[in-house]
Amino acid sequence: MKRLLILEDGSVYEGEGFGSSRYQMGELVFNTGMSGYQEVLSDLSYCGQIVMMTYPMIGNYGINCDDFESLDPAVFGFVVRECCAAPSNFRSDYTLDEFLKQKDIPGISGVDTRAITRKLRNSGTMRAIMADEGADVEAIVAMLRSSELMHDQVARVSTKNAFPIPNRGKRVVLIDFGAKNGIIRELSRRNCDLTVVPYDTSAKEILAMKPDGVMLSNGPGDPKDVPVAIETIRELMGQVVIFGICLGHQLISLASGANTVKLKFGHRGCNHPVMNLANGKVEMTSQNHGYAVEEASLKDTDLVMTHQALNDKSVEGVRHSKYPIFSVQYHPEASPGPEDSNYLFDQFMELMEKEAVKR
C-alpha cells in the first residue's frame, strides 16, 4: 500500500504504508535513538507530533507488554526507513505494524529519513501529514500552511481524576502534564506514597494533601500554553520541595520569571551529552523537548543554572537559590536511554528529608 508523507514546504515522500490510515496533521520531528521506539511511541510528550526515527531499522525486537510509558499513545504518526515485519525477541508480543493498527496510529516506511532529517535540521520542524497515493498534494500543502499546531496537548493527555499509588514513604504529589511511567516507577522504587493529580489542580488542593514534595512531570507542547500550572507553581514555591522534569522544568523557570523559547528542531533521543556544572562531569541523557529555557532570562531571577547541553549550550537544569526547588530539562528516569542521571531522584528524596528535619 503506497502512502505519501507531505510537508508544508511542498516536499512529498512516497513510501509504504503500515499501521492505521487515520491521518492527522502534526509537527514532524526526529528522534536520534538507536533503540527504544516502543517507549518513544508511548511517550505522551509527543502528543500532536509525527515522529521520525533516524535509526534505519525499526521494529526488529517487536512490541512487548512491559515497556510502555503510557497505555494510550498520543503520537500522530510514525516515520521509519525500514519497518521490520518479523521481529525476533523472546519478549516480543506483537509487531510494530500490529501495535500501530491497534492504537490507530499511521506509519510510513521506505522514505529517505536521512534526507528528511537534514531538511528539518536546516529549516526547523514542519507541519506534515500522511496521505493516500493519488491525493491532491497542492490542496494538502495549502491546508498545512494555513493550519495552526495544537495548543491543548497537556489537557488532552493529563489524567482527568486524581488517583493514589500508596506506599509507606515520603508523601509526594505528582502533577501529571503527560507523565511517563518511568517517573512513577522511580518514585515508587523509593517507597514514595504517591498521589497523581490533573495538570490544573490548585495549589490549595495540593497543599491540603500535606505533601513532603511535589513532582512536576514531563508533558507536550509549549509551556506558555499552561498558564494555570505556572500560577500554581508560584503559589507552591517556598511551601514545599519541588522537582521538575522536562515540561516541569520549563514551568518552574516561567514561574520564577525566566523565559522559554522554541528550538529550531528540538532535542529528541537518548544520546545527548549534558555537563553537570557542579562537578564538571558529563552525563549522557534521554531527551524529548522542543522548547528550552532562555539562559539570558535567568539573570534577574532566583534561579541558577546547574546543567548545560554540550551540543548547543542550552540550559538543561536549574535550582532555586532561596527555596528547595530544582529541575532538569532531560529525563533522569531514561526510558529509553542511559541512567546516568538517576541520582536526581535520590537528591529529591534527600531534599525532602532535609526539609522535614527543619520543620
Side-chain angles (χ1 to χ4, degrees):
M1 181 178 63
K2 294 294 183 183
R3 184 168 287 176
L4 305 178
L5 175 67
I6 304 172
L7 278 57
E8 66 175 281
D9 70 346
S11 302
V12 180
Y13 300 88
E14 183 179 293
E16 299 293 324
F18 66 101
S20 164
S21 58
R22 179 173 173 260
Y23 308 134
Q24 297 185 81
M25 187 274 289
E27 182 183 26
L28 180 62
V29 301
F30 63 86
N31 184 293
T32 57
M34 295 177 67
S35 63
Y37 55 83
Q38 178 171 340
E39 292 92 335
V40 168
L41 277 167
S42 56
D43 182 349
L44 296 176
S45 291
Y46 285 111
C47 178
Q49 295 178 326
I50 297 172
V51 180
M52 178 175 63
M53 303 299 293
T54 61
Y55 189 72
M57 178 180 277
I58 300 296
N60 52 310
Y61 54 84
I63 299 286
N64 64 69
C65 293
D66 301 318
D67 294 340
F68 291 113
E69 288 305 305
S70 70
L71 295 178
D72 293 303
V75 64
F76 277 15
F78 202 48
V79 182
V80 302
R81 180 72 183 90
E82 180 181 347
C83 176
C84 180
S88 177
N89 188 283
F90 72 99
R91 298 174 70 226
S92 177
D93 294 305
Y94 31 87
T95 67
L96 176 60
D97 179 49
E98 291 169 339
F99 172 71
L100 293 189
K101 282 186 169 70
Q102 181 187 115
K103 296 299 182 181
D104 209 12
I105 299 168
I108 185 171
S109 66
V111 296
D112 190 344
T113 52
R114 181 179 174 87
I116 302 171
T117 300
R118 288 176 64 89
K119 179 186 288 289
L120 297 182
R121 283 184 64 89
N122 292 332
S123 303
T125 58
M126 296 187 193
R127 291 180 287 263
I129 195 169
M130 295 180 204
D132 292 330
E133 185 182 27
D136 186 340
V137 173
E138 286 188 9
I140 290 175
V141 170
M143 178 276 292
L144 290 173
R145 290 174 177 172
S146 63
S147 298
E148 269 200 53
L149 293 172
M150 300 165 58
H151 293 281
D152 65 342
Q153 297 100 308
V154 169
R156 290 185 181 218
V157 300
S158 176
T159 182
K160 300 301 182 283
N161 300 293
F163 62 92
I165 304 176
N167 217 314
R168 295 176 178 271
K170 293 295 183 186
R171 188 178 293 124
V172 174
V173 172
L174 170 60
I175 305 181
D176 176 21
F177 301 111
K180 290 169 63 179
N181 182 61
I183 294 175
I184 293 174
R185 179 196 64 226
E186 293 302 327
L187 293 173
S188 296
R189 280 180 177 173
R190 291 161 175 80
N191 301 317
C192 290
D193 183 17
L194 281 174
T195 302
V196 183
V197 301
Y199 78 99
D200 55 356
T201 306
S202 70
K204 182 178 179 181
E205 291 173 289
I206 291 169
L207 292 173
M209 299 176 194
K210 301 189 183 305
D212 296 296
V214 172
M215 169 69 74
L216 308 177
S217 84
N218 62 291
D222 185 344
K224 292 176 182 175
D225 287 339
V226 202
V228 64
I230 297 170
E231 185 56 38
T232 295
I233 294 165
R234 282 199 189 105
E235 293 177 22
L236 290 174
M237 286 180 166
Q239 305 288 322
V240 66
V241 177
I242 304 176
F243 177 21
I245 292 175
C246 200
L247 183 67
H249 158 78
Q250 297 162 11
L251 292 170
I252 284 174
S253 299
L254 288 171
S256 301
N259 186 41
T260 56
V261 294
K262 185 173 174 61
L263 297 171
K264 188 175 182 180
F265 49 81
H267 301 163
R268 298 174 182 89
C270 50
N271 44 14
H272 290 257
V274 167
M275 173 75 78
N276 183 326
L277 300 178
N279 56 25
K281 291 184 177 180
V282 175
E283 302 166 17
M284 295 305 294
T285 68
S286 178
Q287 302 205 9
N288 174 19
H289 59 100
Y291 292 81
V293 175
E294 188 176 36
E295 183 179 354
S297 71
L298 296 175
K299 183 178 179 182
D300 296 321
T301 73
D302 291 315
L303 298 178
V304 178
M305 183 166 67
T306 58
H307 296 77
Q308 187 174 44
L310 293 184
N311 287 337
D312 62 5
K313 303 302 181 183
S314 59
V315 177
E316 290 284 350
V318 297
R319 65 172 174 80
H320 202 284
S321 60
K322 295 180 180 177
Y323 303 134
I325 300 170
F326 71 105
S327 62
V328 289
Q329 179 63 78
Y330 52 92
H331 290 267
E333 80 284 356
S335 304
E339 299 179 351
D340 297 24
S341 305
N342 198 265
Y343 67 88
L344 291 168
F345 288 98
D346 295 325
Q347 286 190 3
F348 182 46
M349 301 300 296
E350 291 165 6
L351 200 51
M352 286 190 288
E353 190 63 46
K354 182 178 177 182
E355 290 301 309
V357 170
K358 285 184 182 179
R359 294 180 200 148

